[in-house]
């Protein structure tokens, strides 16, 4: 058993840029090795999931491991027992704990609780209010499949600069992408996000850029990829009416597609709300690679888990 400390991915920037490239390479490679043979992965969900749960379970199976999905109410995080006690207990059976959490800090508490363990247990963020790193890996994989490369591609994210956007921006600047984000006031990336993007781009040295603009048209102009996510994320249901009103001009529709580069690729992490952040025509049209992107969630998670298990 390895004595190297476990690696965790709570944010995309927990990977160095060469490691991110390595994860994408593993995700693209044929399924061969079984580094999780005779080991388990506990997948804890505080919020619902279609893609992430199924993609993660199948990725674990493809790596020879055994996944156990646990709805948060079963273990009662901080209700039945503390997050720390749940993490330590699950860590005694499993090589990996994947968790979808309402508050990012819950993941950090899991990592801290596992730090004294003699055997490595990796924690993977399966979506928090701050980041969705395994989604960003699938997004890059999809863009690379569509264009054959990442560096120099132009990607416009339109809508709420949320968890999905934050991970996508970081992954993009780490791989040399020209990233544009169009979000209304109150929904934009913060100063910390902008500073981190500059630092990650500099460290990667691949020429990645981030430009935040107010107008979706400006972001879309000549872009090779148009990307959006829901206007009301899980846990924000009480703000739904205000969000729908504020974000209404930030829809991916046929008019926005017409401003983008010919052959623009339309992406959405799903679930989608047709007629809100994206029109039916944009989602189902010839430019959409949204369901290829959904499939790539599984390949991306397989690459990420293979990297983590191989690194500690
Ligand atoms: N994109 C994504 O994370 O989908 P689920 O919420 O269905 O897992
Ligand atoms: N931003 C969305 C993503 C869903 C996959 C949410 O957090 O609900």
């Amino acid at each position: 058993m390895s004595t190297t400390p476990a690696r965790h991915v709570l944010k995309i920037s927990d990977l160095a840029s060469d490691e991110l490239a390595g994860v994408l390479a593993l995700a693209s490679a044929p399924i061969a090795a079984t580094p999780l043979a005779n080991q388990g992965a506990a997948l804890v969900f505080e919020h619902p999931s279609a893609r992430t749960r199924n993609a993660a379970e199948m990725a674990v199976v493809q790596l020879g491991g055994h996944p156990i999905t646990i709805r948060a109410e079963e273990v009662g995080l901080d209700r039945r027992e503390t997050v720390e006690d749940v993490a330590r207990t699950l860590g005694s059976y499993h090589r990996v704990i994947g968790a979808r959490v309402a508050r990012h800090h819950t993941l950090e508490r899991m990592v801290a609780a596992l730090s004294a363990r003699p055997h490595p247990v990796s924690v993977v963020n399966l979506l928090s209010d701050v980041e969705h790193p395994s989604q960003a890996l699938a997004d890059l994989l999809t863009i690379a499949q569509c264009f054959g490369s990442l560096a120099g591609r132009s990607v416009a994210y339109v809508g709420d600069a949320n968890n999905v956007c934050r991970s996508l921006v970081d992954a993009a600047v780490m791989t040399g992408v020209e990233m544009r984000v169009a979000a209304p006031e109150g929904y934009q990336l913060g100063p910390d996000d902008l500073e981190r993007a500059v630092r990650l781009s500099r460290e990667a040295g691949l020429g990645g850029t981030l430009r935040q603009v107010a107008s979706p048209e400006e972001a879309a102009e000549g872009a090779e990829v148009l990307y959006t996510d829901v206007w009301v994320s899980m846990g924000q249901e009480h703000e739904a009416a205000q969000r729908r009103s504020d974000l209404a001009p930030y829809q991916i529709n046929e008019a926005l597609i017409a401003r983008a580069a010919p052959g623009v690729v339309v992406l959405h992490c799903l679930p989608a709300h047709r007629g809100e952040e994206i029109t039916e025509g944009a989602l189902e049209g010839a430019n959409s690679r949204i369901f290829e992107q959904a499939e790539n969630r599984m390949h991306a998670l397989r690459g990420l888990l293979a990297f983590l298990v191989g690194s500690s």
Side-chain angles (χ1 to χ4, degrees), residues 12 52 124-126 132-139 297 300-301 304:
I12 272 289
T52 309
V124 178
N125 179 359
L126 297 180
H132 196 3
S134 68
Q135 178 68 53
L137 295 171
D139 302 340
R297 298 295 313 285
L301 275 159
L304 179 60

Side-chain angles (χ1 to χ4, degrees), residues 158-160 182-184 187 214 216-217 228-232 240-253 256 275-279:
V158 175
D160 181 16
Y187 297 85
E217 291 76 20
T228 193
D229 181 17
V230 293
W231 291 340
V232 184
Q242 186 67 51
R243 290 180 151 270
R244 288 196 183 103
S245 154
D246 293 342
L247 286 153
Y250 291 77
Q251 183 189 60
I252 293 193
N253 52 34
L256 208 63
E276 291 189 21
E277 76 278 359
I278 191 163
T279 57

Side-chain angles (χ1 to χ4, degrees), residues 100 127-128 132 162-164 229-230 232-234 269-271:
R100 167 166 287 195
L127 182 147
S128 72
H132 196 3
N162 58 13
N163 48 1
V164 166
D229 181 17
V230 293
V232 184
S233 283
M234 293 180 278
C269 60
L270 299 175

Side-chain angles (χ1 to χ4, degrees), residues 24-151:
L24 295 177
L26 283 168
S28 307
I31 303 165
T34 52
L36 275 174
N38 297 319
Q39 300 185 85
L43 308 171
V44 182
F45 284 83
E46 283 194 294
H47 285 312
S49 167
R51 280 145 292 273
T52 309
R53 174 188 170 173
N54 283 279
E57 285 198 12
M58 290 313 300
V60 170
V61 168
Q62 289 166 357
L63 294 171
H66 182 85
I68 297 186
T69 292
I70 303 157
R71 286 297 308 242
E73 54 267 28
E74 288 176 63
V75 282
L77 294 174
D78 283 338
R79 292 195 178 85
R80 188 162 183 266
E81 57 188 320
T82 64
V83 166
E84 286 78 8
D85 287 357
V86 171
R88 286 165 67 189
T89 303
L90 295 178
S92 64
Y93 314 126
H94 295 281
R95 176 62 183 81
V96 174
I97 300 177
R100 167 166 287 195
V101 296
R103 283 174 301 279
H104 190 82
H105 185 51
T106 301
L107 296 166
E108 295 166 341
R109 289 173 61 194
M110 288 180 171
V111 168
L114 292 164
S115 63
R117 282 194 49 78
H119 306 305
V121 180
S122 295
V123 177
V124 178
N125 179 359
L126 297 180
L127 182 147
S128 72
D129 52 337
V130 174
E131 286 218 24
H132 196 3
S134 68
Q135 178 68 53
L137 295 171
D139 302 340
L140 291 190
L141 205 54
T142 311
I143 296 167
Q145 285 167 355
C146 291
F147 294 97
S149 63
L150 288 169

Side-chain angles (χ1 to χ4, degrees), residues 150-231:
L150 288 169
R153 302 276 75 82
S154 52
V155 177
Y157 179 98
V158 175
D160 181 16
N162 58 13
N163 48 1
V164 166
C165 176
R166 197 170 285 112
S167 289
L168 175 65
V169 163
D170 285 3
V173 297
M174 287 168 72
T175 50
V177 168
E178 184 221 315
M179 188 76 214
R180 313 150 181 195
V181 175
E185 230 181 288
Y187 297 85
Q188 297 176 343
L189 295 169
D192 290 358
D193 298 318
L194 302 181
E195 281 168 29
R196 190 179 57 258
V198 169
R199 175 177 59 77
L200 291 173
S201 171
R202 191 180 54 237
E203 286 169 4
L206 294 171
T209 57
L210 168 63
R211 193 159 54 91
Q212 186 156 238
V213 297
S215 135
E217 291 76 20
E218 189 181 343
E221 203 63 52
E224 294 170 293
V225 178
L226 284 181
Y227 194 122
T228 193
D229 181 17
V230 293
W231 291 340

